[in-house]
Amino acid sequence: IIIYPCMNVLFVCLGNICRSPLGEGILKNICDHTGLDWNIDSAGTGGWHAGESPDHRSIKVAAKHGIDIHQQRARQFKQDDFDKFDHIIAMDKSNFKDLTSLTSDPNHLAKISLMMDFDTASTFRDVPDPYYDNRFDLVFELVTNACNGFVQKFAEVPISLLY
């Protein structure tokens, strides 16, 4: 049995109701299946959905794949998240820019990455926001592939165990 160090991972999108809740749910599911003991959360750069459940379409697409995210609640990114999390993963370049504008600390900046950087096979560089165009199945697929790439990079879990 290989023991991997515990990591704290935060997914960030705009409102924390579509993409980042899927990231949280997908990575938690992968951790459950691979035995990784990681702390995973999600947040939004904006706070207008704070306290709300994920978008019903995110809940539906996750459930279709056996993942339950209905209990999650949206929250806004906080400055102390830079200290709490080892990896802060932005869903797109806009949220990446918003996060990097919140700090000048090189240790904090080094924690921020783009979700799609973990799926080098994809032509997508951003996870598109499905709120208006309803591309939740595409978002689920992109985030799943990138989460698998993240786990491969940081835990070296055998591919056969990934989701």
Side-chain angles (χ1 to χ4, degrees):
I1 294 177
I2 300 172
I3 304 296
Y4 297 100
C6 184
M7 279 203 300
N8 300 303
V9 182
L10 181 67
F11 292 97
V12 181
C13 68
L14 187 60
N16 191 213
I17 59 167
C18 294
R19 296 171 289 174
S20 55
L22 285 172
E24 178 183 346
I26 291 165
L27 188 56
K28 281 182 177 179
N29 188 57
I30 292 169
C31 288
D32 288 347
H33 284 90
T34 58
L36 293 170
D37 184 24
W38 291 357
N39 299 312
I40 302 140
D41 197 4
S42 61
T45 53
W48 48 90
H49 292 293
E52 293 179 19
S53 297
D55 186 287
H56 67 93
R57 296 165 294 178
S58 284
I59 293 171
K60 182 178 177 180
V61 74
K64 185 165 80 171
H65 296 276
I67 300 172
D68 182 6
I69 65 168
H70 85 276
Q71 77 290 350
Q72 293 180 24
R73 293 294 174 262
R75 71 175 185 86
Q76 187 169 12
F77 183 87
K78 301 177 296 225
Q79 196 67 30
D80 68 346
D81 286 332
F82 283 120
D83 296 317
K84 287 183 184 176
F85 293 93
D86 304 305
H87 295 276
I88 299 168
I89 302 172
M91 291 292 168
D92 60 32
K93 290 184 226 51
S94 176
N95 287 294
F96 182 91
K97 183 180 175 189
D98 289 344
L99 289 167
T100 58
S101 74
L102 297 174
T103 185
S104 59
D105 183 328
N107 294 317
H108 293 168
L109 291 169
K111 295 179 179 188
I112 306 168
S113 56
L114 272 171
M115 179 88 257
M116 293 310 296
D117 285 348
F118 300 107
D119 182 4
T120 56
S122 178
T123 58
F124 284 84
R125 297 305 354 128
D126 285 339
V127 176
D129 189 340
Y131 188 80
Y132 293 107
D133 66 13
N134 209 31
R135 294 190 292 174
F136 286 85
D137 288 308
L138 171 64
V139 167
F140 187 91
E141 178 185 338
L142 292 172
V143 173
T144 298
N145 292 341
C147 282
N148 282 328
F150 180 85
V151 171
Q152 277 294 117
K153 180 172 183 170
F154 292 104
E156 299 173 3
V157 170
I159 292 173
S160 62
L161 292 178
L162 295 177
Y163 182 72

